[in-house]
Amino acid sequence: MINNLTKTSLLNYQITVNLQPLDTYQIMMREETEAQELESQGRTATTTSQIREDTIKRKRHAVSQLGEGHTRLFSTLFVVRVWNTDESKLAADMSALKQAITSIKSARAYDTHLEVTTLETFCDIPGQLFSSL
């Protein structure tokens, strides 16, 4: 994820990553409940669905991986701070970084659309690092 940001030619920015572990037990309970609901739907349905069966297997595998400690999910926040002495150069740098961020699948960049408030730009990069879910 950071490769898209570091391959730009800019040197006047800083990346801060905040990680917060998610509640593993709550995620396991949610996945298990969804798997049980899909199984009950499968028992009452007149036709079998391969998608439903694959989803149940995936959810059971996710619960297993979480329960054994092989997978740990985190909420991530990437904060990119950019600085420049010239406001127009700062806007150009922000545009280049925003393009690099939005090229990442499912990433969002939050910014204001006024040139005066270019300093107030926020980005959201998705992340379930090392996750099999």
Side-chain angles (χ1 to χ4, degrees):
M1 292 188 307
I2 293 184
N3 183 43
N4 285 8
L5 297 175
T6 57
K7 70 181 179 183
T8 62
S9 62
L10 304 174
L11 297 175
N12 53 349
Y13 68 94
Q14 174 186 16
I15 301 171
T16 304
V17 181
N18 296 318
L19 297 173
Q20 180 179 3
L22 298 177
D23 185 8
T24 303
Y25 182 74
Q26 183 181 17
I27 294 169
M28 288 173 55
M29 300 306 331
R30 185 185 70 226
E31 292 291 316
E32 185 66 33
T33 302
E34 290 174 4
Q36 289 174 356
E37 289 174 0
L38 287 171
E39 286 177 343
S40 68
Q41 288 175 4
R43 286 191 293 269
T44 59
T46 57
T47 60
T48 60
S49 170
Q50 187 62 38
I51 294 172
R52 184 184 305 121
E53 295 300 320
D54 291 342
T55 304
I56 292 169
K57 287 179 187 176
R58 184 179 53 81
K59 289 186 178 294
R60 295 283 186 212
H61 179 71
V63 169
S64 171
Q65 293 295 308
L66 288 167
E68 294 173 2
H70 296 299
T71 301
R72 184 69 196 250
L73 301 179
F74 293 91
S75 172
T76 59
L77 174 67
F78 283 71
V79 179
V80 180
R81 293 179 179 92
V82 183
W83 57 90
N84 205 316
T85 56
D86 184 16
E87 193 173 324
S88 62
K89 289 180 182 178
L90 177 63
D93 292 349
M94 284 303 307
S95 177
L97 286 173
K98 183 177 177 184
Q99 183 178 5
I101 290 168
T102 55
S103 69
I104 301 170
K105 182 179 178 183
S106 300
R108 296 177 303 226
Y110 300 104
D111 70 90
T112 57
H113 297 287
L114 301 174
E115 188 173 317
V116 179
T117 55
T118 303
L119 296 173
E120 300 174 8
T121 302
F122 301 95
C123 302
D124 178 27
I125 299 175
Q128 290 184 351
L129 302 177
F130 308 111
S131 173
S132 62
L133 294 178

mmCIF file of all heavy atoms in Angstrom, residues 4-26:
data_model
loop_
_atom_site.group_PDB
_atom_site.id
_atom_site.type_symbol
_atom_site.label_atom_id
_atom_site.label_comp_id
_atom_site.label_asym_id
_atom_site.label_seq_id
_atom_site.Cartn_x
_atom_site.Cartn_y
_atom_site.Cartn_z
ATOM 1 N N ASN A 4 2.744 2.839 -3.482
ATOM 2 C CA ASN A 4 2.182 3.880 -4.357
ATOM 3 C C ASN A 4 2.568 5.276 -3.881
ATOM 4 O O ASN A 4 2.752 6.176 -4.686
ATOM 5 C CB ASN A 4 0.664 3.764 -4.424
ATOM 6 C CG ASN A 4 0.227 2.617 -5.283
ATOM 7 O OD1 ASN A 4 1.040 1.816 -5.723
ATOM 8 N ND2 ASN A 4 -1.050 2.517 -5.534
ATOM 9 N N LEU A 5 2.684 5.444 -2.572
ATOM 10 C CA LEU A 5 3.048 6.758 -2.046
ATOM 11 C C LEU A 5 4.549 7.015 -2.146
ATOM 12 O O LEU A 5 4.970 8.123 -2.445
ATOM 13 C CB LEU A 5 2.601 6.880 -0.585
ATOM 14 C CG LEU A 5 1.101 6.811 -0.348
ATOM 15 C CD1 LEU A 5 0.810 6.809 1.135
ATOM 16 C CD2 LEU A 5 0.397 7.963 -1.032
ATOM 17 N N THR A 6 5.350 5.990 -1.887
ATOM 18 C CA THR A 6 6.799 6.203 -1.870
ATOM 19 C C THR A 6 7.419 6.243 -3.264
ATOM 20 O O THR A 6 8.552 6.689 -3.401
ATOM 21 C CB THR A 6 7.493 5.114 -1.034
ATOM 22 O OG1 THR A 6 7.164 3.830 -1.574
ATOM 23 C CG2 THR A 6 7.075 5.193 0.414
ATOM 24 N N LYS A 7 6.711 5.800 -4.283
ATOM 25 C CA LYS A 7 7.299 5.864 -5.622
ATOM 26 C C LYS A 7 7.086 7.223 -6.292
ATOM 27 O O LYS A 7 7.576 7.444 -7.377
ATOM 28 C CB LYS A 7 6.762 4.729 -6.504
ATOM 29 C CG LYS A 7 5.317 4.856 -6.912
ATOM 30 C CD LYS A 7 4.902 3.663 -7.761
ATOM 31 C CE LYS A 7 3.448 3.764 -8.172
ATOM 32 N NZ LYS A 7 3.015 2.610 -8.912
ATOM 33 N N THR A 8 6.399 8.135 -5.611
ATOM 34 C CA THR A 8 6.294 9.489 -6.146
ATOM 35 C C THR A 8 7.625 10.203 -5.947
ATOM 36 O O THR A 8 8.433 9.827 -5.105
ATOM 37 C CB THR A 8 5.175 10.295 -5.435
ATOM 38 O OG1 THR A 8 5.501 10.404 -4.056
ATOM 39 C CG2 THR A 8 3.828 9.639 -5.607
ATOM 40 N N SER A 9 7.873 11.242 -6.712
ATOM 41 C CA SER A 9 9.145 11.960 -6.638
ATOM 42 C C SER A 9 9.169 12.999 -5.519
ATOM 43 O O SER A 9 10.158 13.698 -5.348
ATOM 44 C CB SER A 9 9.438 12.629 -7.977
ATOM 45 O OG SER A 9 8.424 13.568 -8.261
ATOM 46 N N LEU A 10 8.095 13.087 -4.755
ATOM 47 C CA LEU A 10 8.010 14.084 -3.686
ATOM 48 C C LEU A 10 8.810 13.630 -2.470
ATOM 49 O O LEU A 10 8.865 12.445 -2.148
ATOM 50 C CB LEU A 10 6.560 14.294 -3.278
ATOM 51 C CG LEU A 10 5.593 14.688 -4.387
ATOM 52 C CD1 LEU A 10 4.180 14.721 -3.858
ATOM 53 C CD2 LEU A 10 5.975 16.022 -4.972
ATOM 54 N N LEU A 11 9.402 14.590 -1.788
ATOM 55 C CA LEU A 11 10.146 14.291 -0.572
ATOM 56 C C LEU A 11 9.606 15.040 0.636
ATOM 57 O O LEU A 11 10.063 14.826 1.751
ATOM 58 C CB LEU A 11 11.631 14.651 -0.751
ATOM 59 C CG LEU A 11 12.374 13.860 -1.829
ATOM 60 C CD1 LEU A 11 13.780 14.399 -1.985
ATOM 61 C CD2 LEU A 11 12.410 12.390 -1.471
ATOM 62 N N ASN A 12 8.639 15.906 0.425
ATOM 63 C CA ASN A 12 8.160 16.752 1.503
ATOM 64 C C ASN A 12 6.813 16.264 2.058
ATOM 65 O O ASN A 12 5.846 16.999 2.106
ATOM 66 C CB ASN A 12 8.060 18.204 1.041
ATOM 67 C CG ASN A 12 7.238 18.346 -0.221
ATOM 68 O OD1 ASN A 12 6.903 17.367 -0.875
ATOM 69 N ND2 ASN A 12 6.908 19.570 -0.562
ATOM 70 N N TYR A 13 6.776 15.008 2.474
ATOM 71 C CA TYR A 13 5.581 14.494 3.115
ATOM 72 C C TYR A 13 5.982 13.447 4.148
ATOM 73 O O TYR A 13 7.087 12.919 4.136
ATOM 74 C CB TYR A 13 4.586 13.916 2.106
ATOM 75 C CG TYR A 13 5.030 12.662 1.405
ATOM 76 C CD1 TYR A 13 4.668 11.419 1.900
ATOM 77 C CD2 TYR A 13 5.791 12.715 0.239
ATOM 78 C CE1 TYR A 13 5.067 10.256 1.258
ATOM 79 C CE2 TYR A 13 6.186 11.573 -0.399
ATOM 80 C CZ TYR A 13 5.825 10.348 0.112
ATOM 81 O OH TYR A 13 6.219 9.198 -0.518
ATOM 82 N N GLN A 14 5.069 13.195 5.062
ATOM 83 C CA GLN A 14 5.299 12.248 6.140
ATOM 84 C C GLN A 14 4.083 11.347 6.241
ATOM 85 O O GLN A 14 2.946 11.809 6.138
ATOM 86 C CB GLN A 14 5.495 13.019 7.450
ATOM 87 C CG GLN A 14 5.595 12.157 8.671
ATOM 88 C CD GLN A 14 5.632 13.004 9.934
ATOM 89 O OE1 GLN A 14 5.295 14.179 9.919
ATOM 90 N NE2 GLN A 14 6.031 12.390 11.020
ATOM 91 N N ILE A 15 4.318 10.060 6.430
ATOM 92 C CA ILE A 15 3.237 9.083 6.562
ATOM 93 C C ILE A 15 3.204 8.595 8.006
ATOM 94 O O ILE A 15 4.221 8.163 8.542
ATOM 95 C CB ILE A 15 3.440 7.888 5.620
ATOM 96 C CG1 ILE A 15 3.512 8.340 4.169
ATOM 97 C CG2 ILE A 15 2.320 6.858 5.811
ATOM 98 C CD1 ILE A 15 3.915 7.250 3.207
ATOM 99 N N THR A 16 2.052 8.684 8.621
ATOM 100 C CA THR A 16 1.843 8.151 9.959
ATOM 101 C C THR A 16 0.768 7.076 9.863
ATOM 102 O O THR A 16 -0.273 7.292 9.245
ATOM 103 C CB THR A 16 1.373 9.257 10.931
ATOM 104 O OG1 THR A 16 2.325 10.306 10.917
ATOM 105 C CG2 THR A 16 1.210 8.712 12.336
ATOM 106 N N VAL A 17 1.034 5.923 10.454
ATOM 107 C CA VAL A 17 0.081 4.814 10.416
ATOM 108 C C VAL A 17 -0.400 4.541 11.832
ATOM 109 O O VAL A 17 0.404 4.329 12.738
ATOM 110 C CB VAL A 17 0.728 3.536 9.826
ATOM 111 C CG1 VAL A 17 -0.281 2.405 9.773
ATOM 112 C CG2 VAL A 17 1.305 3.812 8.464
ATOM 113 N N ASN A 18 -1.703 4.568 12.023
ATOM 114 C CA ASN A 18 -2.304 4.239 13.312
ATOM 115 C C ASN A 18 -3.010 2.896 13.173
ATOM 116 O O ASN A 18 -3.850 2.714 12.285
ATOM 117 C CB ASN A 18 -3.318 5.308 13.731
ATOM 118 C CG ASN A 18 -2.678 6.653 13.961
ATOM 119 O OD1 ASN A 18 -1.610 6.732 14.552
ATOM 120 N ND2 ASN A 18 -3.309 7.701 13.467
ATOM 121 N N LEU A 19 -2.655 1.956 14.034
ATOM 122 C CA LEU A 19 -3.272 0.633 14.033
ATOM 123 C C LEU A 19 -4.008 0.421 15.345
ATOM 124 O O LEU A 19 -3.476 0.707 16.414
ATOM 125 C CB LEU A 19 -2.208 -0.461 13.895
ATOM 126 C CG LEU A 19 -1.397 -0.460 12.617
ATOM 127 C CD1 LEU A 19 -0.284 -1.488 12.714
ATOM 128 C CD2 LEU A 19 -2.282 -0.745 11.433
ATOM 129 N N GLN A 20 -5.224 -0.092 15.239
ATOM 130 C CA GLN A 20 -5.999 -0.410 16.430
ATOM 131 C C GLN A 20 -6.557 -1.816 16.261
ATOM 132 O O GLN A 20 -7.295 -2.079 15.305
ATOM 133 C CB GLN A 20 -7.137 0.587 16.619
ATOM 134 C CG GLN A 20 -7.977 0.311 17.830
ATOM 135 C CD GLN A 20 -9.087 1.338 17.992
ATOM 136 O OE1 GLN A 20 -9.268 2.225 17.175
ATOM 137 N NE2 GLN A 20 -9.843 1.195 19.052
ATOM 138 N N PRO A 21 -6.185 -2.752 17.145
ATOM 139 C CA PRO A 21 -6.693 -4.117 16.989
ATOM 140 C C PRO A 21 -8.202 -4.170 17.184
ATOM 141 O O PRO A 21 -8.753 -3.496 18.057
ATOM 142 C CB PRO A 21 -5.953 -4.903 18.077
ATOM 143 C CG PRO A 21 -5.464 -3.881 19.032
ATOM 144 C CD PRO A 21 -5.330 -2.593 18.301
ATOM 145 N N LEU A 22 -8.847 -4.958 16.352
ATOM 146 C CA LEU A 22 -10.289 -5.141 16.466
ATOM 147 C C LEU A 22 -10.579 -6.270 17.445
ATOM 148 O O LEU A 22 -9.728 -7.107 17.731
ATOM 149 C CB LEU A 22 -10.886 -5.450 15.093
ATOM 150 C CG LEU A 22 -10.733 -4.354 14.039
ATOM 151 C CD1 LEU A 22 -11.291 -4.822 12.715
ATOM 152 C CD2 LEU A 22 -11.411 -3.075 14.477
ATOM 153 N N ASP A 23 -11.795 -6.301 17.952
ATOM 154 C CA ASP A 23 -12.209 -7.320 18.919
ATOM 155 C C ASP A 23 -12.387 -8.657 18.193
ATOM 156 O O ASP A 23 -13.366 -8.862 17.470
ATOM 157 C CB ASP A 23 -13.501 -6.889 19.596
ATOM 158 C CG ASP A 23 -13.946 -7.832 20.694
ATOM 159 O OD1 ASP A 23 -13.178 -8.753 21.043
ATOM 160 O OD2 ASP A 23 -15.060 -7.636 21.213
ATOM 161 N N THR A 24 -11.432 -9.541 18.382
ATOM 162 C CA THR A 24 -11.430 -10.829 17.686
ATOM 163 C C THR A 24 -12.650 -11.663 18.055
ATOM 164 O O THR A 24 -13.273 -12.286 17.193
ATOM 165 C CB THR A 24 -10.140 -11.605 18.010
ATOM 166 O OG1 THR A 24 -9.031 -10.792 17.633
ATOM 167 C CG2 THR A 24 -10.066 -12.912 17.257
ATOM 168 N N TYR A 25 -13.004 -11.685 19.330
ATOM 169 C CA TYR A 25 -14.148 -12.485 19.776
ATOM 170 C C TYR A 25 -15.434 -12.006 19.104
ATOM 171 O O TYR A 25 -16.235 -12.825 18.639
ATOM 172 C CB TYR A 25 -14.280 -12.404 21.302
ATOM 173 C CG TYR A 25 -15.413 -13.232 21.836
ATOM 174 C CD1 TYR A 25 -15.311 -14.619 21.890
ATOM 175 C CD2 TYR A 25 -16.590 -12.637 22.262
ATOM 176 C CE1 TYR A 25 -16.354 -15.389 22.359
ATOM 177 C CE2 TYR A 25 -17.641 -13.396 22.733
ATOM 178 C CZ TYR A 25 -17.516 -14.772 22.786
ATOM 179 O OH TYR A 25 -18.560 -15.531 23.251
ATOM 180 N N GLN A 26 -15.633 -10.710 19.016
ATOM 181 C CA GLN A 26 -16.836 -10.164 18.382
ATOM 182 C C GLN A 26 -16.889 -10.531 16.895
ATOM 183 O O GLN A 26 -17.939 -10.890 16.375
ATOM 184 C CB GLN A 26 -16.869 -8.648 18.567
ATOM 185 C CG GLN A 26 -18.102 -7.990 18.003
ATOM 186 C CD GLN A 26 -18.073 -6.482 18.189
ATOM 187 O OE1 GLN A 26 -17.023 -5.900 18.442
ATOM 188 N NE2 GLN A 26 -19.219 -5.872 18.062
#
